[in-house]
Amino acid sequence: MKHKTTLLLAGVILLASGSATANWAEMISLSGSLESDVRFITDNWRGAKKGQGYEFEMNRNDINLRLRADPTERVQAVVDTRLRFFGFNEAATLPELISRERIDPFSFQLTEAYVAVRGVPWSKMDIKIGRMIQTWGTVDMFNPTDNLNARDFSDPLNFMDKVPNQMLEIDIYPTDWLTLQAVWVPTFKPSQLPPSAVLGFALEYDDNGCVAGFPAPPLDADGRAVLGSLFSADGPFGMDLDLCRLNFANPEVRTVMPKAGISNSQAAARAKFQAGPVDFSLSYYYGRFKFPVAYTAVADVMSPGGKASGFVTDSKTIDPKKYNVKYVAEVMYPRMQVIGADFAYSSDNPWVPGFKAEAALILPEKVDFGMSAFLDGEKLDLGKDPANPMRTITSTNGSGKPFVKATVGVDWSYSDIFYINLMYVYGFFDEFNDRFGLHHFFVGATEFKFLQSELQIRMSSVLDMTDLSAMIYPQLTWIVAPAVELSFGYMHFFGDTSPRDPLDFATKSRFGQKATGRNVAFMKAKVTF
């Protein structure tokens, strides 16, 4: 597969380089960039285990190419590609050393590939079809009305990346001040999570190798009380919270993906209005939330000397002196409808700042969470009422009630010297008003430019005003020559790495939790053409 994608990329380059001989010079344009990215982990406590850090996290090189063809005035075709070399050896065995793809791993990505037809079948209508990325809304980054493409958080430093998807887009321009847009997306694609996301379900161990904590399920107060009673002195384990008597197999998280049927298609419509310095939009989206929401979990326990059953089957991982536990959780992507509105104002007066606001009323699917436990193959009675035992802890992880996500911002710049952007955000990208809730955020960015913009200093930060965790992101950029730049920066997270209450899902820190990522220093070099 990689050989085919490499040939496709080579074909794109040859097509562009040979365009002049084919008399296509005026029909085809090629642009792109070459980028090198080196990052170093500056902590040793935010990894899977203590002491993992102070090492290179990334040694990446990208080739980005965008080819645009305009064979006629009404037709346009776009192909946007990325060839990425990861820069680290992945050969772990002697036979793998014969594979160049293991020693020098790479990937090919087709970011966009679509055809746009203008003025067909009506002079005021455009049709676009293919692999695309849509961006709706007026505010910067935190767009609650922008739901057509899933987010791509595989690189924590690139907040704006998205997962491409196949779409059909129709744009109608009845007047100069109104644009009507309709988009249909046949299949669902989830957001791509960062590599650190698996740490959200990882176990914590102390210096003695004993379990110090495990991922908290999204339970209400009654459910947490029942779960805590399992580890009490008079509970079925008789442990009195002595987690050193637990031997966990690696927790497993399974995703329940929507079927590729017409009922799981996504659709959206938007009306954009323009009146002088004011842009205003109304939108509607029907589809699914792009981030996973927990809804089931099973804990299968084999007591010391007990009979292996259920999930606990690997004799190599069983400790006969401990309670052996296999924990399996499932996540799903709930349906939702989004009614959105956004607003932007920009003035010709250089002393008047720009204002932006965006809000989304979300009508979500209800998500019920259930958790079961087995001991030596027998299902535990997790209920409190002997006359009506509940063998599963149940809790609502998403009430199904409408809720609002919103962003309000102001930005201002002075000549080409200074820029500032301040925003209030209610509800982060992955927040769905589940047990974790919706948090309040303050987002700020300032930028200073010197030496005719050749030297740029930028500071970005996000503060979670709900749990007081934060992220800071300073960056220095030097424009060495036109289209050539060097960047140096640092990303650091503040907050508790563990929940304040080990059984309460809601007390995990937004930026402090290890699933958010590592503290890294980076250096980038980029050439655009």
Side-chain angles (χ1 to χ4, degrees), residues 227 230-231 236-237 239 246-248 254 296-304 306-312 322-328 370-382 390-393:
L227 182 62
L230 296 178
F231 302 99
F237 304 150
M239 295 173 55
L246 289 179
N247 176 42
F248 270 92
R254 300 172 181 174
T296 63
V298 176
D300 192 20
V301 184
M302 185 183 74
S303 61
K307 181 180 178 181
S309 62
F311 297 112
V312 184
K322 294 185 178 182
Y323 286 92
N324 296 276
V325 182
K326 177 64 177 182
Y327 183 79
V328 178
M371 180 176 180
S372 299
F374 293 80
L375 177 60
D376 295 331
E378 296 293 330
K379 200 168 188 178
L380 289 175
D381 182 359
L382 302 180
M390 292 178 57
R391 297 190 176 276
T392 299
I393 304 176

Side-chain angles (χ1 to χ4, degrees), residues 178-491:
L178 174 63
T179 300
L180 303 178
Q181 184 178 28
V183 181
W184 178 59
V185 185
T187 60
F188 170 82
K189 283 188 180 180
S191 291
Q192 185 172 356
L193 305 180
S196 58
V198 296
L199 298 180
F201 293 89
L203 300 168
E204 296 282 345
Y205 291 91
D206 60 21
D207 295 337
N208 297 320
C210 297
V211 174
F214 48 83
L219 298 172
D220 56 21
D222 291 339
R224 294 196 299 273
V226 174
L227 182 62
S229 68
L230 296 178
F231 302 99
S232 63
D234 56 353
F237 304 150
M239 295 173 55
D240 197 17
L241 290 178
D242 182 7
L243 298 183
C244 223
R245 297 182 64 192
L246 289 179
N247 176 42
F248 270 92
N250 288 330
E252 182 180 350
V253 182
R254 300 172 181 174
T255 58
V256 180
M257 289 292 176
K259 295 181 180 180
I262 190 70
S263 62
N264 288 316
S265 295
Q266 303 167 82
R270 178 171 63 162
K272 297 175 61 178
F273 305 87
Q274 186 173 10
V278 176
D279 292 328
F280 178 73
S281 296
L282 296 174
S283 61
Y284 171 80
Y285 166 82
Y286 173 82
R288 289 181 179 271
F289 189 54
K290 302 299 193 300
F291 290 90
V293 177
Y295 87 109
T296 63
V298 176
D300 192 20
V301 184
M302 185 183 74
S303 61
K307 181 180 178 181
S309 62
F311 297 112
V312 184
T313 57
D314 188 355
S315 59
K316 295 180 181 179
T317 62
I318 291 177
D319 187 336
K321 298 180 181 180
K322 294 185 178 182
Y323 286 92
N324 296 276
V325 182
K326 177 64 177 182
Y327 183 79
V328 178
E330 287 186 323
V331 296
M332 53 93 75
Y333 297 87
R335 295 179 186 271
M336 67 176 185
Q337 300 180 69
V338 181
I339 302 171
D342 58 70
F343 163 87
Y345 168 79
S346 58
S347 174
D348 293 333
N349 188 331
W351 297 103
V352 176
F355 296 93
K356 299 177 181 179
E358 190 169 332
L361 174 64
I362 300 175
L363 312 175
E365 174 184 4
K366 184 179 180 181
V367 180
D368 290 321
F369 177 82
M371 180 176 180
S372 299
F374 293 80
L375 177 60
D376 295 331
E378 296 293 330
K379 200 168 188 178
L380 289 175
D381 182 359
L382 302 180
K384 295 182 177 181
D385 184 2
N388 185 23
M390 292 178 57
R391 297 190 176 276
T392 299
I393 304 176
T394 59
S395 179
T396 299
N397 193 31
S399 67
K401 297 180 180 179
F403 63 91
V404 174
K405 297 175 75 171
T407 304
V408 179
V410 58
D411 59 5
W412 181 74
S413 61
Y414 176 72
S415 185
D416 292 329
I417 300 175
F418 175 73
Y419 170 79
I420 185 170
N421 188 334
L422 302 174
M423 290 187 291
Y424 162 75
V425 178
Y426 181 55
F428 214 64
F429 300 107
D430 60 340
E431 293 181 355
F432 193 66
N433 202 27
D434 56 6
R435 281 288 162 190
F436 184 70
L438 297 174
H439 286 203
H440 301 267
F441 299 87
F442 174 77
V443 182
T446 59
E447 186 174 71
F448 294 88
K449 297 181 180 181
F450 307 94
L451 304 177
Q452 296 181 339
S453 299
E454 290 184 3
L455 190 64
Q456 304 170 9
I457 300 176
R458 185 181 181 88
M459 169 64 80
S460 304
S461 60
V462 182
L463 170 66
D464 186 333
M465 295 182 286
T466 303
D467 62 26
L468 299 182
S469 63
M471 179 273 288
I472 60 170
Y473 181 20
Q475 179 174 330
L476 170 67
T477 301
W478 175 30
I479 308 300
V480 182
V484 180
E485 64 181 50
L486 292 176
S487 298
F488 307 87
Y490 179 62
M491 176 175 280

Side-chain angles (χ1 to χ4, degrees), residues 4-17 65 108:
K4 293 180 180 179
T5 55
T6 304
L7 289 174
L8 176 61
L9 180 62
V12 171
I13 299 174
L14 290 174
L15 179 61
S17 62
L65 295 174
F108 175 84

